[in-house]
Each structure stands twice: as structure tokens, then as C-alpha cells.
Amino acid sequence: SYDVGAIYYWYPGDYPAGFNDADTAEVYFGLGWEFLSLKYSYAITDLFGIPDSDGSGALDLGASYEFAPSWSLDAAVGKQWVQNLDGADYAYWKVGVGKAFDSGFDIAVAYNDNDLIGPDETITVAVTKSF
């Protein structure tokens, strides 16, 4: 399978001094085969408020295993390259569970981490709608 699209990350509120607006727009292209997926994302705006970082890219390898009808166990690893900022590239990974609904809505909960220094672990909850 293949997937082509765009994502817009919107962050309301103020942003730290020295950073641009954190809102980020990306375009992506993905390929899928059975339970595996591979996606490349390209930032068409500055990446999450980092000045002059448009053109940054990320490569993501994912796996999704349906362990019960409409329930999945999901995992991914990836690499983020940050344009025009030496030493800012990083690897990331996640593992989680998701539930798909007949309405086209999905909900997922995941544990996320990366190889950056500091307390980076997070739990995310995502609600998405397919069109």
C-alpha cells in the first residue's frame, strides 16, 4: 500500500525566546507491506520552532499487529534530521496499543522515547479520523 499526505501540528500559546512559532507543516510519503510501514516526512515550515529548519526530514519504520478484532499492538523506530542545526539529529521509538472504530475514528495510547539527553519519555493519546 501507499500513503501520501500532509500533517499540521498546531501549538497554541506563546513560545520560548529564540524560537519561531512551533506550529509545523509536513508532507509525507509512506509505503506499507503486510504489518510493516515505512514513511518519510519533510518539513515545509520551520520544524517545531527551530529557526531555519525547514527542509528537515524524518524516516520512520513501523509495525502493527492486530491481536484482536479492531485492536492493534504498534511499534516504531525512526530518525529525525534537523536542517541547519548541527548535533540536533536524533533517533526515536515508541510502543503502544490502538483501537479502530467503524466510524473511521481511531484511538491510540503509546509510550515514546528518544536518544536526546534529558527526561524525554512521554505517554501520548491520539484520536484520529480517516477520510
Side-chain angles (χ1 to χ4, degrees):
S1 65
Y2 68 93
D3 185 16
V4 176
I7 298 174
Y8 186 78
Y9 299 91
W10 175 60
Y11 297 97
D14 296 329
Y15 43 93
F19 285 83
N20 294 333
D21 186 347
D23 297 352
T24 300
E26 294 180 333
V27 293
Y28 67 86
F29 178 78
L31 298 172
W33 178 72
E34 295 193 9
F35 64 92
L36 296 174
S37 64
L38 182 67
K39 180 173 82 169
Y40 180 75
S41 301
Y42 179 85
I44 58 176
T45 63
D46 283 344
L47 185 70
F48 304 113
I50 301 170
D52 301 320
S53 61
D54 57 309
S56 297
L59 186 62
D60 187 87
L61 175 63
S64 183
Y65 173 72
E66 187 174 28
F67 63 88
S70 76
W71 286 91
S72 64
L73 178 61
D74 307 303
V77 295
K79 178 77 174 186
Q80 174 73 60
W81 293 275
V82 180
Q83 188 75 14
N84 297 321
L85 188 60
D86 292 336
D89 302 344
Y90 61 93
Y92 57 90
W93 51 92
K94 73 176 181 177
V95 62
V97 64
K99 167 79 172 135
F101 297 94
D102 292 334
S103 63
F105 280 96
D106 296 341
I107 187 165
V109 177
Y111 169 81
N112 306 267
D113 200 2
N114 59 57
D115 67 354
L116 294 170
I117 297 171
D120 305 313
E121 303 88 10
T122 60
I123 301 292
T124 56
V125 177
V127 176
T128 59
K129 169 70 172 146
S130 298
F131 297 98

